[in-house]
């Protein structure tokens, strides 16, 4: 198995063909709309098909909501937007991957620490831990390294504190800056 953004683009073409609508419009109607969040631009190829696997422009809040949706096995405010089976397979290691991660359905899976990731270009990440009921949305615009490397130590320390903390609620909103210009992480507890 080898990761290929081209395979994700084929999935976008399949959605367009099967539904008769663009992948972006489908996502707005059946994903972003029901989650009450916006979907920005999504670039298209020369045939007008949204480029699967890349070039979707959404806010950190929308990223965090996608993570929450997967963390809750496809359910958003009591409404099933994805099947539980799909959400489970998306976040489970189905094949060994690259970058020290396994891979589910379009999500990278870290098995040692039990979290999964959506990884985008130039430092865009959605990190989900069901064990800790938390989602981290990271937006960065950098080709100067991995912002996750700067943020994870702070996150791990916060999680350790949460386990035995007094007065620290999982409903707290933490905003962490990760030692790199333009890199921010928003941590939502459930």
């Amino acid at each position: 198995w080898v990761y290929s953004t081209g395979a994700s683009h084929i999935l976008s073409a399949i959605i367009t063909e099967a539904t008769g609508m663009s992948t972006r419009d489908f996502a707005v109607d059946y994903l972003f709309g029901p989650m009450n969040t916006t979907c920005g631009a999504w670039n298209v190829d020369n045939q007008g098909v949204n480029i699967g696997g890349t070039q979707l422009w959404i806010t950190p809040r929308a990223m965090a909501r996608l993570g929450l949706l997967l963390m809750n096995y496809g359910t958003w405010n009591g409404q099933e937007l994805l099947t539980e089976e799909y959400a489970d397979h998306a976040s489970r290691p189905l094949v060994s991957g690259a970058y020290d991660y396994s891979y589910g359905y379009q999500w990278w899976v870290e098995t040692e620490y039990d979290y999964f990731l959506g990884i985008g270009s130039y430092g865009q990440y959605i990190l989900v831990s069901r064990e800790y009921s938390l989602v981290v949305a990271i937006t960065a615009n950098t080709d100067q390294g991995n912002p996750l490397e700067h943020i994870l130590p702070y996150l791990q320390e916060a999680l350790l504190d949460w386990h035995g903390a007094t007065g620290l609620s999982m409903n707290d909103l933490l905003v962490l800056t990760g030692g790199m210009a333009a890199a921010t992480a928003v941590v939502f507890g459930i």
Side-chain angles (χ1 to χ4, degrees):
W1 177 83
V2 176
Y3 174 79
S4 169
T5 299
S8 299
H9 186 57
I10 290 170
L11 290 175
S12 179
I14 290 169
I15 289 170
T16 300
E17 181 69 25
T19 65
M21 58 196 316
S22 73
T23 303
R24 183 192 180 281
D25 289 346
F26 183 82
V28 167
D29 288 355
Y30 297 100
L31 192 65
F32 293 107
M35 290 192 305
N36 196 30
T37 193
T38 58
C39 176
W42 194 343
N43 294 357
V44 296
D45 67 12
N46 61 1
Q47 296 177 336
V49 174
N50 291 111
I51 300 174
T54 188
Q55 300 183 24
L56 167 63
W57 303 90
I58 59 175
T59 65
R61 180 174 298 273
M63 292 168 62
R65 288 183 179 200
L66 284 173
L68 287 170
L69 178 67
L70 267 288
M71 184 175 68
N72 292 317
Y73 292 97
T75 300
W76 184 263
N77 288 335
Q79 181 182 2
E80 184 181 82
L81 303 183
L82 304 171
T83 67
E84 183 177 344
E85 179 183 24
Y86 177 87
D88 178 56
H89 281 80
S91 59
R92 152 177 2 158
L94 300 176
V95 294
S96 295
Y99 316 113
D100 297 324
Y101 297 109
S102 296
Y103 203 66
Y105 291 167
Q106 304 295 317
W107 290 80
W108 297 96
V109 182
E110 206 298 326
T111 55
E112 183 178 355
Y113 295 103
D114 196 27
Y115 63 84
F116 56 97
L117 295 160
I119 301 176
S121 299
Y122 300 107
Q124 317 310 309
Y125 294 89
I126 304 169
L127 182 147
V128 180
S129 171
R130 289 188 180 116
E131 178 183 355
Y132 292 103
S133 296
L134 103 119
V135 172
V136 180
I138 301 170
T139 58
N141 186 10
T142 180
D143 59 1
Q144 302 172 8
N146 179 349
L148 200 58
E149 292 173 2
H150 298 277
I151 293 169
L152 274 179
Y154 297 106
L155 184 58
Q156 289 167 341
E157 183 178 330
L159 291 174
L160 290 173
D161 289 346
W162 261 328
H163 255 305
T166 56
L168 192 57
S169 167
M170 287 301 279
N171 291 321
D172 291 336
L173 171 68
L174 303 174
V175 178
L176 305 171
T177 56
M180 294 184 79
T184 59
V186 182
V187 181
F188 291 90
I190 304 306

